[in-house]
Amino acid sequence: MYYMIHGIDADNSLEARLSVRPAHLERLKKLRDEGRLLLAGPLPAIDSPDPGPAGFTGSLVVAEFDSLEDAQAWADADPYMEAGAYREARVYPFKKVLP
C-alpha cells in the first residue's frame, strides 16, 4: 500500500537540510529503483521553485511500504530527521486514484 510521508521542517532548517541532502536523496533513489516511489519533493516556504534563503517548510513523499509501521520507521530514519531538519514526520495511508 502507498503511504504519504509529510516531513515537517524545524525552524531555520535550511543548513541542516543542505548538510544531509545527498544522503536523503540516496534513500529516495533506492525507493525509486525498487519501483516503490510514487512522488517526492520539498515544500518551498515561499511561492517559488527556488526559495533561496527562505528555505522549505517540509517535504512530501508518497511511496509503497508493507505497513504503516514500516513507513513510519523509514520516515523516522531519514537523514533530515537525524540532522534536525525535520521536527516531525507524519505518515498516513494513501490511496492513489488518478492518474
Side-chain angles (χ1 to χ4, degrees), residues 15-77:
E15 187 176 318
R17 272 180 165 269
L18 294 175
S19 72
V20 294
R21 186 170 186 263
H24 171 78
L25 291 176
E26 281 305 312
R27 294 181 84 230
L28 292 171
K29 289 175 185 175
K30 184 175 186 227
L31 287 177
R32 178 200 62 199
D33 294 348
E34 294 170 353
R36 298 169 46 203
L37 182 65
L38 185 62
L39 63 90
L43 306 171
I46 60 174
D47 188 12
S48 172
D50 181 2
F56 302 90
T57 62
S59 301
L60 174 68
V61 175
V62 179
E64 190 172 18
F65 293 92
D66 290 333
S67 68
L68 180 64
E69 293 79 14
D70 287 348
Q72 187 69 60
W74 187 92
D76 289 343

Side-chain angles (χ1 to χ4, degrees), residues 1-4 36-38 62-65 92-94 96:
M1 178 168 184
Y2 284 112
Y3 294 89
M4 181 197 91
R36 298 169 46 203
L37 182 65
L38 185 62
V62 179
E64 190 172 18
F65 293 92
Y92 304 92
F94 180 83
K96 182 182 177 207

